[in-house]
Amino acid sequence: MILCRKTWSWAIDKVEIEERSFLIWPDLAEPYTGLRWDVLHKHRDPWMKDYFLPFPVEQFPEAHQQEALLNHGRCQDALFIMDDLVQELLKGMDFKITEVAVRVKDPVMMLVHVRPDGTRSSISSQHHVFKITLANQESLVLDLSGAQYGWYGPTKMIWSKYLDERSKTILKVRDFGAMTGENLALADSYGPTGMTFPGVLGSVKKSVKDALSCWQRENLSFKNLLRCPENEFKSKQDQMLSHTEECVSREVAIANKMIKAAGWRPSMGTHA
């Protein structure tokens, strides 16, 4: 959620709830292309202003709206950014992690884009999750971005229950780290600046990893954190998240400066 707030890059004119749909009217500064990072912020000159801007909390006072929007289309980013943390949390256990793409079923809420001509579209073709198989062959799912479908919890479920309740079919199974490799290769393909969305996320990913490693060295390991009494756990968790947010904020500020200096246009992903 920290990452999504700090790398928010699209504008919304209004939102309405209609039955099981969360309708979004993008505030368009140019023809709609279907990619969320191609939608510019309102009244923003893409050559002059920052690409990544703070999430507009004032537009969405309801916590569930914020969570759904912040997770919208970010399932691949979640696997990319969080794989190091997931591995760290499971350190010392006998486990295997795979990355699974599923087609969702029976979402509680579906986020739908409403185009200027009134047509509607959603990005529900694939949803990416971690599958964790333990030594006793018990399998769990870690769904870090399920809130975009109205699944605000639990993040962790028994795999068979997840398939029964939330997955229509399994589309793809890949080795752990595949998403990271794919994103870093894509960033490298754009040359030395790396100022594409995957390139910026790669820098932020390293910042998150370094921040959490630093926090563990100066405080306590994740394993010991999980053993803390509830009040102490909450306090230390807040400290850790605050430290991580500071590091991510610095990295995003650097990215904004580099994007502007390179003359990279957010709306097109090209140089001047």
Side-chain angles (χ1 to χ4, degrees):
M1 294 291 285
I2 290 173
L3 170 71
C4 295
R5 287 181 187 277
K6 296 299 181 181
T7 57
W8 183 255
S9 60
W10 56 301
I12 295 176
D13 183 45
K14 65 176 180 177
V15 171
E16 289 184 3
I17 304 296
E18 182 183 279
E19 296 180 352
R20 292 161 63 106
S21 295
F22 195 2
L23 305 181
I24 303 169
W25 278 262
D27 188 354
L28 305 177
E30 61 178 26
Y32 185 75
T33 63
L35 298 175
R36 71 187 189 291
W37 52 83
D38 283 345
V39 180
L40 303 182
H41 283 268
K42 186 175 184 180
H43 308 311
R44 183 174 81 172
D45 179 348
W47 299 98
M48 301 300 293
K49 301 292 183 65
D50 290 340
Y51 180 34
F52 296 114
L53 297 176
F55 179 75
V57 177
E58 66 283 354
Q59 282 187 268
F60 311 104
E62 299 293 336
H64 73 280
Q65 288 187 346
Q66 294 182 29
E67 192 172 354
L69 286 165
L70 287 166
N71 281 282
H72 184 40
R74 303 301 294 264
C75 56
Q76 296 184 61
D77 299 341
L79 266 59
F80 176 38
I81 296 295
M82 299 299 291
D83 60 356
D84 292 320
L85 177 58
V86 170
Q87 198 164 35
E88 183 68 28
L89 288 170
L90 295 172
K91 184 181 290 185
M93 301 174 62
D94 188 359
F95 64 91
K96 177 183 178 181
I97 306 176
T98 50
E99 300 176 359
V100 182
V102 302
R103 193 178 306 281
V104 301
K105 71 175 181 181
D106 301 329
V108 176
M109 188 69 69
M110 179 68 73
L111 277 81
V112 178
H113 289 201
V114 183
R115 302 187 182 189
D117 62 3
T119 59
R120 301 180 179 188
S121 65
S122 63
I123 54 171
S124 60
S125 57
Q126 290 190 27
H127 183 55
H128 298 261
V129 299
F130 285 126
K131 178 185 178 184
I132 302 170
T133 304
L134 305 177
N136 63 2
Q137 297 307 304
E138 180 183 15
S139 293
L140 306 171
V141 64
L142 193 59
D143 185 352
L144 301 172
S145 56
Q148 64 184 300
Y149 299 110
W151 299 326
Y152 302 107
T155 301
K156 180 185 71 175
M157 291 177 64
I158 298 297
W159 178 248
S160 58
K161 179 179 176 65
Y162 184 85
L163 292 181
D164 182 55
E165 296 182 1
R166 299 185 180 179
S167 172
K168 187 179 298 182
T169 184
I170 295 175
L171 300 172
K172 190 189 309 181
V173 179
R174 302 199 297 178
D175 292 338
F176 181 71
M179 191 67 72
T180 289
E182 189 177 276
N183 275 270
L184 294 179
L186 182 59
D188 289 344
S189 71
Y190 281 90
T193 64
M195 284 299 103
T196 58
F197 199 75
V200 172
L201 287 185
S203 298
V204 173
K205 173 185 172 69
K206 183 178 184 304
S207 176
V208 170
K209 183 178 180 180
D210 292 347
L212 293 174
S213 296
C214 175
W215 189 88
Q216 286 190 89
R217 287 194 303 271
E218 296 178 359
N219 293 273
L220 76 168
S221 68
F222 288 138
K223 181 182 291 187
N224 290 332
L225 173 64
L226 295 174
R227 294 172 177 169
C228 288
E230 185 174 349
N231 289 341
E232 185 180 354
F233 173 84
K234 181 66 168 62
S235 174
K236 291 189 177 298
Q237 181 191 50
D238 289 344
Q239 293 172 21
M240 180 180 69
L241 292 176
S242 176
H243 176 68
T244 303
E245 183 169 7
E246 290 176 8
C247 294
V248 170
S249 296
R250 287 197 299 269
E251 196 65 42
V252 170
I254 292 171
N256 275 326
K257 290 180 181 178
M258 291 182 67
I259 287 172
K260 190 179 298 184
W264 183 68
R265 181 169 177 166
S267 61
M268 299 300 292
T270 58
H271 286 76

